[in-house]
Amino acid sequence: MRKTKKNTAIILAGGTGRRMRGDVPKQFSFLGGIPVIAYSLNVFDSCEEVSDIVVVCHPGYLEDMERLVFGKDIRKPVKVVPGGETRQSSSFSGLENCPPDTDYVLIHDSARPLVSRATITSVLEAAIEEGAAGPAIDTTDTIVEQAGAFISGMPDRTVLKRVQTPQAFRFNIITEAHEKARETGINDSSDDCGLVIAYGGKVKVVRGDSLNIKLTSSLDLELAECIIRKGFGKDIETRSKVP
Ligand code: CTP
Ligand code: MG
């Protein structure tokens, strides 16, 4: 991969983790002895393809986040910026705060602390080839459509995938998709790949990682603890490095 590209990682931590029901938003919850967001910071900081990091934080927690981020030994230039009311507006805030010469962005949910370097590299490489890319995994459950109290359909599972983050984009592709969405009054899209597709763009699918779970409820936090304790994942040492 050419080193001359400027690839900025945007780590989204603008939510409040309502479904987790914790005392603090889930990005600040402790996992394996360190805050959830520290995992994403560590792994993006350790990727040589990544040049800069932008952390998008809930406006009510900026000081806590700055203390956490600047108290760590992060080697890359890092900024902490306020997010918005929806994931989409936080993602847009991240894009607005990228260094102006950014070529590619990797947009990542801090709620996925177990992301591996291998996933980051493969998503970025695919975006450099195709313009946009996202990691996806198969659905193991049969998925059904429900109408009222009954099953109304059973879509073909082989074409249904579960998309994860980080998602990577050529900078102009994702900023244009966000700008178009805002112009047409769409403010609550939950996925950046979805915005690119909505405006006619193509997104390459790369192989996701079933260990890259999204922490949604407290059960997921326990599951992540188990994954870490078992030492699953190739570069878990890097990710769980104590600051
Ligand atoms: N996110 C964000 N800004 C928002 C909402 C969400 O940056 N206004 C981020 C979250 O911090 C999280 C990611 O988007 O890392 C995925 O969102 P989700 O899992 O829904 O997190 P929360 O919105 O915090 O959780 P909940 O929906 O349960 O309140
Ligand atoms: Mg949410």
Side-chain angles (χ1 to χ4, degrees), residues 18-19 26 214:
R18 199 176 27 83
R19 287 167 292 176
K26 58 194 177 188
K214 182 160 82 76

Side-chain angles (χ1 to χ4, degrees), residues 12-19 26-27 84-87 90 109-111 214:
L12 296 178
T16 54
R18 199 176 27 83
R19 287 167 292 176
K26 58 194 177 188
Q27 52 271 30
E85 281 188 6
T86 63
R87 186 190 180 283
S90 290
D109 290 341
S110 63
K214 182 160 82 76

